[in-house]
Amino acid sequence: AQSVSQHNHHVILSEAASLELGCNYSYGGTVNLFWYVQYPGQHLQLLLKYFSGDPLVKGIKGFEAEFIKSKFSFNLRKPSVQWSDTAEYFCAVNPSTGGGNKLTFGTGTQLKVEL
Amino acid sequence: DAGVIQSPRHEVTEMGQEVTLRCKPISGHNSLFWYRQTMMRGLELLIYFNNNVPIDDSGMPEDRFSAKMPNASFSTLKIQPSEPRDSAVYFCASSLSPSGSLDTQYFGPGTRLTVL
């Protein structure tokens, strides 16, 4: 069964700092990849997704992620974070074939941005 | 669009009681998912339906959990009897998945369940 690892459980940054959150998955075949965000007290929302094509994916609110197949990684980045980016971030994976509609989520990274 | 609707938003119950969580997916969506979120295990898929039919329930922890989708606009997740270790936030999500292919899942606000 595939698994998703998010190694950074808690990240604290100052405003304007650059962000990179790690995501690695264990699945040998072709995958679909997602990043979701959960703001305090709110439900999960899609930030960005990768199905195929350009491995550098742009999402909402200035976020981007790069799919590196050789490293089984899909790291999330933002060049300059804002206080409003404080949230929990989840990476998720689905096999492109045979996975049905199932998503496997990582355990999440709690990001706190300080003023 | 109202998005995915879940009720109740908060539920506090005593061990041994039956708990029923409800979900109304986005109109027109044909896939529905139930997830459980805990500090220890993160976000886990419990079960999902395509066109009201349960497709994969391998994530359902044990027989105390059951889920139904009697029609395209309503689903329930039932825990009977409830135990303190069931305390978690339960999310429902829906997606529009033509021919069973993957599409973006839209999440509801969740139900925070506390079992005393």
Side-chain angles (χ1 to χ4, degrees), chain A residues 21-44:
Chain A
L21 302 182
C23 173
N24 289 89
Y25 63 92
S26 63
Y27 181 74
T30 305
V31 293
N32 300 313
L33 298 155
F34 303 78
W35 275 98
Y36 279 84
V37 61
Q38 186 177 24
Y39 296 103
Q42 296 188 26
H43 57 279
L44 277 82

Side-chain angles (χ1 to χ4, degrees), chain B residues 96-114:
Chain B
L96 177 60
S97 304
S99 304
S101 61
L102 183 67
D103 207 331
T104 301
Q105 294 183 22
Y106 296 86
F107 283 75
T111 294
R112 182 174 294 277
L113 173 64
T114 302

Side-chain angles (χ1 to χ4, degrees), chain A residues 10 32 34 36 38 41-46 49 51 88 90 94-95 99-107, chain B residues 9 31 33 35 37 41-43 45 48 50 56 58 91 95 97 100-109:
Chain A
H10 292 90
N32 300 313
F34 303 78
Y36 279 84
Q38 186 177 24
Q42 296 188 26
H43 57 279
L44 277 82
Q45 303 169 43
L46 182 69
K49 59 186 178 182
F51 281 9
E88 190 158 16
F90 294 90
N94 168 270
N101 288 9
K102 288 180 67 170
L103 286 178
T104 300
F105 281 85
T107 52
Chain B
R9 294 292 305 276
S31 292
F33 308 80
Y35 290 89
Q37 185 181 35
R41 300 173 67 93
L43 199 62
L45 177 66
Y48 80 92
N50 261 3
D56 186 339
S58 59
F91 288 101
S95 71
S97 304
S101 61
L102 183 67
D103 207 331
T104 301
Q105 294 183 22
Y106 296 86
F107 283 75

